[in-house]
Amino acid sequence: MIKRTPEQDLIDGFVNRLKRAKNPLFRASEVINSSCKSKKYADIEYISENGTKWAIEAKSHDSSDRHNTVHKLFGELLKETGRENRDGFLFGLLIPTESLNFYSRLLQSINRDKFIGFGNLVPISAVFLYGNSSIKQLTWESLYDAYKP
């Protein structure tokens, strides 16, 4: 039996919702991978109905190493750009809706220009929020700016 993790639960809910999404840019026609344990693929790789190929890394704040997930997301997103056969892929990040302030607050310890520069280097096409069976989309910049102290 596979041990469930908050990250895998997030991925499963998101992918199930993608199959019913209204927007053809996001609605999944083919799911290539939906496992946070894969060494060969991003946490979520799929092709949308309009042919867009997505490679999405997922992070959850609902774990014992939640503060480390902030640092890990940079390495994992950067690693995706080095994989073979990445032509035409859009890169994204998936976090739980309720974790937006958590991640934004911690990310604000990074210089904003450097943070935005990283999002251009990778490049991050979308930050997805998933919760309560709904998907919302943010920009990389709005992830940084979301927390208002």
Side-chain angles (χ1 to χ4, degrees):
M1 178 178 218
I2 297 174
K3 181 181 173 189
R4 305 305 300 165
T5 65
E7 192 172 288
Q8 188 61 53
D9 291 342
L10 174 67
I11 291 167
D12 292 345
F14 179 74
V15 169
N16 286 332
R17 185 67 185 114
L18 280 175
K19 293 174 182 176
R20 300 183 321 262
K22 292 179 182 172
N23 186 336
L25 174 63
F26 302 119
R27 188 171 42 243
S29 67
E30 178 186 351
V31 177
I32 300 163
N33 183 62
S34 61
S35 171
C36 63
K37 300 295 183 196
S38 177
K39 302 292 183 205
K40 186 177 177 183
Y41 300 103
D43 292 337
I44 302 161
E45 287 195 21
Y46 79 98
I47 301 172
S48 70
E49 283 192 353
N50 76 348
T52 303
K53 296 183 275 186
W54 284 95
I56 302 170
E57 283 298 322
K59 289 291 160 226
S60 174
H61 70 300
D62 190 18
S63 66
S64 59
D65 75 337
R66 69 181 134 264
H67 290 87
N68 284 336
T69 64
V70 174
H71 307 291
K72 289 178 181 179
L73 71 88
F74 292 103
E76 291 179 13
L77 287 167
L78 189 59
K79 178 175 66 176
E80 289 309 315
T81 64
R83 292 190 193 272
E84 291 182 17
N85 302 321
R86 284 295 186 225
D87 292 341
F89 271 84
L90 297 182
F91 299 99
L93 173 66
L94 168 65
I95 61 173
T97 301
E98 67 271 11
S99 72
L100 178 58
N101 280 335
F102 171 81
Y103 282 108
S104 180
R105 178 178 57 84
L106 293 174
L107 291 169
Q108 287 179 14
S109 67
I110 300 167
N111 174 285
R112 188 177 189 284
D113 290 337
K114 289 180 181 178
F115 179 84
I116 302 304
F118 179 87
N120 292 327
L121 175 68
V122 167
I124 308 296
S125 295
V127 175
F128 296 98
L129 302 176
Y130 177 75
N132 295 324
S133 296
S134 74
I135 298 172
K136 293 184 177 138
Q137 181 186 359
L138 301 174
T139 64
W140 184 247
E141 293 86 359
S142 59
L143 169 62
Y144 186 93
D145 295 332
Y147 178 72
K148 307 290 186 215

